Every structure is written in C-alpha cells, then in structure tokens.
Amino acid sequence: MPSTDWFRWTHRDSMYNNFKTGIPTFIIKQADYFQSWLIIRLDNAVTIGTLTANELDNVNPEDVAASIRTTNLYATDERNTNLEHIYSGAFPTFEKWIDDGNEVRGISFILKETADYQRIHPSELAEFGYRFGDIESQFVAIHNYASHNDFVTGLPTFTEDEQNYVGALLFKQGFAQTQEIPFLYFVIQKFNFDHLNEQYRTNVILALEMGIDRFSNSPYLSDEEKRRLALAYGNKIFIHDAPASQTEAGRWVQNGDDNHIYINWGQFLDNNGDVNQSALAETLIHEIMHVAGYSHIEIPPNAKSPGCGNTSGDEYFDSPPLRAECVIGNNQSLLIN
C-alpha cells in the first residue's frame, strides 16, 4: 500500500504553487540526479472542504484505498443533502487535525461538470499497466487510460468490486493538468520549519524548488557536485529565522546529524515587505552545498564577483557554494553567506 505521505506532499506542493490540490499518479521516471513524478494539479475542478472522522465512518486515515472509497461514497450518496447532484466524487487530501475535540479530515470535492465517472472492466486497463490488487498500478493505468481516451487524466475511486469493474473519475479537458516534478519537491517537505515564521514558509519552499529545478542542467556545477547536492536535500535540515545578531543573509550550522539553516529576512525584503525570491534561492542552495560537505574561505575585503563562468582560480568565488548561486539566475548576489 502506498504511503499517505505521497498524497499529503502532493496536495501541499500544489497549494504552494497556487493550485487548490494535487494528487500523485505514481508514474515515475528516473532522471540523472533524482526521480521525477507525474502529478495531477487541480484548481477549478474542486471545492476544498472538510469532513469529520465520524462522517467518514471512522475509516483508517492511513488506508489509502479505504479512505478514497469512503470519501467518494459520501460525496455521491443521495442522503447527504443531494451532494450527488453537485459532485461526481471526492478525494481525501490525507490531512487531518483536531477541531473542538473532533478529528477533521481535508477533502477535495470534485465538481460534477468537470469529471465523468466510469466503470471500467479490468481487461480494458491491462495494456495501461493495471495489476489486480495493486493500488499504485490503478493510478498509473487509469491516468494512461484517461489520456488515451481524450481526457486529461483520471483517478481510481475503489468503489467497485475489482473482480468485475474498476471505478474511475476521468477529468475533462480544461479541468485538470499534469506536471512532472522532481522527487526532491517531496523531500524538502520533510525539512523542519518549526522555528520559521509561518508567513515565509511558502517563500522558502518555492526558493528551494527553484534551486532544485535548475541545478541538474547547470554548467556551473560538476556531475559529482550535483550528485552530492541532490543527496544533501535528504539530510535532517531545520530552517530558522535568524537571530537579531546575525548579519549574514544565511548561515549553516551543523549539530551532530542535524543541519540548521538560519535566514536573515532583512537581507531579502524590499520596502514593501516582498521577498526577493531569486536572492533567497541563491542563499538556500549555497547553504545546502554546505550540507553536502562543501566550504569556502571568508569573503575577502572589497570582493567583487568576476561573473558566473569567469570564476576559475578565484579561491572564494570559484568554491562550490558560490558557484551554486550561479545556478539560480547566472548571478552571484554578493549576499554574505
């Protein structure tokens, strides 16, 4: 059974990127330095809501198939205030929390006009990667079946007897999109943000994603440096607001197996309080290079970057953390890190 983490992380990443939710397809490709995952992005096809655990018959929230089945049955049950006239189904975000003593779960309700429900015979899915009883293969096969039949994508509902039919919600054109994302997008969601001002979490996530998107094809890092950088994202990393005494834009501190990155927001905010995302991305990839085991000398007095691509022989600007800054926008910001 797939971990519910994949669903939570896809949902969260989609929200960070201005969608209402997202769902994995479990279609995975191997790239040079990390896997890429094909995910579904949803916005105008869904309404985000909540249901209590009691409304969902206290289904085990870590049971993927049972949670999806129960949520779909609830959304299409005529007893639930005619929801079946509004929604073609629903999908759990696999987020849950306690509200006023009740366990509450996040739900994406799928609007009826955006997706068709179909009962598909397993034999029709065999050529698309379907394997009986394999949850992940249902996601793969239904996406492939849907795209082959002029839908954008599709999702299993687990509401049918799989011996006879597979239930699927198939999204019409214009109501969903798919995107390949680096697996490292999921990895960075395991960073600890407890010591970061919540208002900046999205900025940090998107700045980290900017670095991940750009380093693999960059000419400024060697293959070995890229490999070590990709691995470094999997370390135990804590992101902090910097103390008032910190003058650097970013600082990395190691404590045993824990890596702490401190961000001085005063270095990144303009007069309107907006964050310079490119500068933040440069600083974060610089600090992750420290996590990867690379270092540099102290910045010399009156230092001036010779420009990305022209740093050969410069002890400071040609160090891996400084060259990594060039990955973001062909620039070394000269923020002190």
Side-chain angles (χ1 to χ4, degrees):
M1 180 184 298
S3 170
T4 56
D5 283 339
W6 306 128
F7 298 91
R8 273 189 292 275
W9 292 339
T10 307
H11 168 67
R12 292 174 189 176
D13 181 75
S14 295
M15 289 198 303
Y16 292 136
N17 284 278
N18 295 317
F19 294 88
K20 289 182 180 175
T21 190
I23 301 166
T25 67
F26 293 96
I27 295 174
I28 302 169
K29 296 180 181 178
Q30 187 62 49
D32 288 336
Y33 306 103
F34 44 73
Q35 293 177 336
S36 64
W37 281 51
L38 184 72
I39 67 168
I40 301 167
R41 305 282 206 190
L42 297 174
D43 194 35
N44 61 346
V46 297
T47 298
I48 302 298
T50 60
L51 292 171
T52 66
N54 286 337
E55 288 174 307
L56 293 170
D57 299 326
N58 292 300
V59 64
N60 179 357
E62 297 304 312
D63 187 324
V64 169
S67 293
I68 295 171
R69 179 188 310 113
T70 304
T71 304
N72 272 281
L73 291 175
Y74 182 94
T76 56
D77 190 329
E78 63 183 9
R79 293 171 296 177
N80 294 324
T81 62
N82 294 318
L83 293 184
E84 84 282 4
H85 298 304
I86 305 172
Y87 304 119
S88 55
F91 208 88
T93 66
F94 292 95
E95 301 278 19
K96 61 183 189 295
W97 61 95
I98 301 298
D99 185 13
D100 197 25
N102 295 310
E103 182 179 300
V104 177
R105 302 179 187 178
I107 307 295
S108 301
F109 291 98
I110 298 168
L111 296 170
K112 203 170 188 70
E113 66 271 18
T114 69
D116 291 341
Y117 179 76
Q118 287 190 17
R119 301 167 76 218
I120 307 169
H121 194 274
S123 63
E124 296 181 73
L125 296 174
E127 66 177 296
F128 299 109
Y130 170 76
R131 297 186 302 276
F132 179 81
D134 185 313
I135 292 173
E136 293 181 18
S137 81
Q138 283 206 32
F139 280 88
V140 172
I142 290 174
H143 166 77
N144 290 335
Y145 174 90
S147 59
H148 183 76
N149 287 280
D150 296 324
F151 292 91
V152 179
T153 185
L155 295 169
T157 64
F158 302 100
T159 52
E160 303 289 343
D161 179 355
E162 196 179 344
Q163 297 278 1
N164 300 309
Y165 293 101
V166 173
L169 285 168
L170 307 179
F171 287 90
K172 301 173 186 178
Q173 297 294 331
F175 292 107
Q177 60 182 273
T178 58
Q179 180 183 351
E180 282 190 11
I181 67 168
F183 177 73
L184 293 180
Y185 279 19
F186 296 147
V187 172
I188 61 176
Q189 291 193 44
K190 294 193 289 184
F191 287 10
N192 185 298
F193 299 99
D194 291 347
H195 304 285
L196 178 73
N197 189 321
E198 183 64 29
Q199 76 178 94
Y200 296 128
R201 181 182 294 207
T202 298
N203 296 103
V204 170
I205 290 287
L206 294 180
L208 289 165
E209 289 186 356
M210 189 184 296
I212 290 166
D213 282 339
R214 299 182 186 185
F215 82 78
S216 61
N217 293 319
S218 172
Y220 299 118
L221 297 176
S222 70
D223 288 344
E224 175 62 12
E225 288 165 347
K226 292 174 184 177
R227 185 189 67 80
R228 287 175 60 177
L229 174 60
L231 291 173
Y233 286 100
N235 281 267
K236 193 173 182 180
I237 296 176
F238 297 76
I239 306 293
H240 301 254
D241 295 321
S245 58
Q246 179 176 316
T247 56
E248 307 100 318
R251 177 187 292 175
W252 165 74
V253 176
Q254 189 172 35
N255 183 8
D257 292 333
D258 297 345
N259 295 273
H260 300 266
I261 296 174
Y262 296 85
I263 300 172
N264 179 354
W265 291 105
Q267 298 278 357
F268 302 105
L269 301 178
D270 64 18
N271 292 334
N272 296 318
D274 295 325
V275 175
N276 183 330
Q277 284 295 126
S278 293
L280 178 60
E282 289 176 25
T283 288
L284 285 169
I285 199 169
H286 176 124
E287 303 306 335
I288 300 290
M289 288 296 281
H290 286 314
V291 177
Y294 294 105
S295 61
H296 56 75
I297 64 170
E298 292 295 320
I299 185 170
N302 303 314
K304 183 178 180 181
S305 171
C308 294
N310 300 308
T311 60
S312 180
D314 188 298
E315 190 175 4
Y316 179 71
F317 288 105
D318 199 45
S319 64
L322 270 294
R323 279 189 283 107
E325 294 181 16
C326 295
V327 164
I328 303 303
N330 196 37
N331 181 57
Q332 290 171 321
S333 66
L334 275 185
L335 291 175
I336 301 173
N337 296 291

